[in-house]
Amino acid sequence: MSVSYFQVGGFHPQIQWFKSTYDNRQLAECIAGPASLLRSQTNPDEPVELVLGIKRSGSSHLLLTADKAYQLSRALRLPDPRSPFRANEFESLSPIHFASAEALSKKLSELKPKAGARGDTSQANRGYDEFQDDLYRAAFEHGRVIYRVLNETIDAQTYGLDDTSWSQNLRISAMVFNTKGLDDRRTEERIKNPLVLDVGFCDAESPTLEPDARKTSHIINAANSLLGRKQRKLPFVHGNTETVPGSEMPTRIQALFKNHVHPTDQPMILLVYKEVETMNYLRNMGVDISSWRFGLGDLLVMDRSTVSLPS
């Protein structure tokens, strides 16, 4: 069942607070105060959970699910809010908690536009342009949601997650590499064809995301071993080191991703440093990344618009 949302506070809120749209202190008291209807009846000391919605522009919005919004408005004899948001109108939806009315009031103040100004001039959102994409904040929130899904500490449906079956077979890995120290080639060529000296690769345990020492690799490219910096290298202590002839590097690197080059019910999250350079290196090693996507949005909401990897 699709969940809808109403905005609390901020620019053009959908929950109208009597005659004063921006009466933050009273609104915060009703939502997160000790007598709030939204507090857990079994654990009233727990923080009140709201929904943090991040749009593609990067702007942030405090939301209530429709059932909570109607519960609040009717208890306070407010008009029912209209024209709800849908999950696909946000790039990310994630939990945000408030232990007290004071904490919520502070957040509402950050979202409050300046009186008489046009557009969202709030402290929280004035730096974002609604006509331009800024996906970094949403990407951070995606990571928080995935961690909660893995640890079963989130009500998936509340956050627009209709299917979390992927979490049972999810692989999370990290990959880094060193390149030639003094490379006098043009910048474009260094990025397109990095001279990789060695590769580090590690899988994470689920759900803790601690490194799995049993699945940690350090692979040295013997063909480029003389191109490195002259400083003494420290030994690799997190797993086995293997030195591979340059001609065998493609096969060795491809083996790391053999089950993840095509759409599968065993998805993989790969954490990298210098994304464009890394993707070019994987292409050069013969890894088919044509079906890969940047970010985690597609994993969380399969019908959400996607951002392709740069070419």
Side-chain angles (χ1 to χ4, degrees):
M1 182 179 68
S2 177
V3 178
S4 54
Y5 310 87
F6 292 103
Q7 181 175 311
V8 178
F11 182 61
H12 288 169
Q14 293 155 309
I15 298 178
Q16 299 298 318
W17 180 247
F18 297 111
K19 295 181 180 180
S20 177
T21 301
Y22 299 118
D23 191 347
N24 291 334
R25 288 179 295 179
Q26 291 188 55
L27 181 58
E29 187 67 33
C30 288
I31 293 176
S36 171
L37 297 172
L38 305 184
R39 284 198 174 275
S40 168
Q41 299 301 307
T42 55
N43 296 296
D45 293 332
E46 288 185 352
V48 171
E49 181 174 300
L50 274 64
V51 178
L52 176 65
I54 307 295
K55 292 195 172 181
R56 287 189 66 86
S57 65
S59 63
S60 58
H61 307 264
L62 283 184
L63 309 171
L64 286 175
T65 55
D67 58 338
K68 289 185 177 180
Y70 290 137
Q71 178 187 7
L72 182 69
S73 62
R74 291 166 184 172
L76 299 175
R77 298 182 179 179
L78 298 172
D80 278 350
R82 299 180 179 180
S83 303
F85 287 119
R86 302 296 179 185
N88 61 8
E89 295 182 69
F90 295 91
E91 187 64 20
S92 71
L93 295 166
S94 55
I96 184 169
H97 297 93
F98 297 96
S100 65
E102 291 75 15
L104 177 55
S105 180
K106 180 180 178 181
K107 182 64 175 178
L108 289 170
S109 296
E110 294 172 357
L111 293 166
K112 179 179 178 179
K114 293 181 180 179
R118 297 181 62 183
D120 191 344
T121 57
S122 65
Q123 178 185 344
N125 292 332
R126 64 191 176 196
Y128 298 102
D129 184 339
E130 64 176 315
F131 301 108
Q132 294 188 14
D133 289 349
D134 187 336
L135 304 178
Y136 291 101
R137 176 65 188 278
F140 176 81
E141 295 300 325
H142 289 156
R144 292 183 60 234
V145 171
I146 286 178
Y147 183 79
R148 285 178 169 271
V149 169
L150 293 176
N151 286 274
E152 300 180 349
T153 58
I154 191 172
D155 180 1
Q157 191 174 43
T158 295
Y159 297 93
L161 307 178
D162 296 326
D163 181 9
T164 59
S165 59
W166 48 263
S167 63
Q168 304 302 313
N169 299 310
L170 179 65
R171 180 186 182 191
I172 301 179
S173 308
M175 176 181 170
V176 294
F177 53 76
N178 289 308
T179 57
K180 180 182 178 182
L182 296 175
D183 192 339
D184 55 5
R185 297 177 299 162
R186 294 169 59 95
T187 300
E188 295 82 357
E189 181 64 18
R190 293 201 302 269
I191 294 175
K192 186 176 181 181
N193 296 295
L195 292 174
V196 172
L197 309 180
D198 58 350
V199 175
F201 190 91
C202 182
D203 283 333
E205 295 180 346
S206 182
T208 65
L209 303 188
E210 292 292 327
D212 187 343
R214 301 166 300 173
K215 300 178 181 178
T216 301
S217 303
H218 178 219
I219 307 167
I220 298 175
N221 183 353
N224 293 341
S225 60
L226 299 179
L227 301 179
R229 297 175 177 86
K230 301 303 180 182
Q231 296 96 331
R232 185 176 67 87
K233 294 183 179 179
L234 296 175
F236 182 68
V237 297
H238 305 288
N240 296 323
T241 295
E242 55 180 314
T243 301
V244 175
S247 61
E248 296 179 14
M249 281 297 291
T251 300
R252 185 65 184 87
I253 298 301
Q254 291 170 28
L256 298 173
F257 305 98
K258 63 181 180 179
N259 296 323
H260 304 280
V261 293
H262 301 296
T264 174
D265 62 355
Q266 298 180 331
M268 177 185 192
I269 295 174
L270 180 64
L271 308 175
V272 303
Y273 175 65
K274 294 185 176 180
E275 169 212 337
V276 175
E277 198 170 339
T278 301
M279 296 303 104
N280 286 336
Y281 175 67
L282 291 177
R283 289 191 190 97
N284 296 343
M285 292 293 101
V287 178
D288 182 1
I289 63 171
S290 59
S291 63
W292 293 15
R293 293 292 182 268
F294 170 71
L296 305 173
D298 290 353
L299 185 62
L300 292 169
V301 182
M302 302 305 278
D303 62 352
R304 182 169 293 167
S305 58
T306 63
V307 179
S308 299
L309 287 168
S311 58

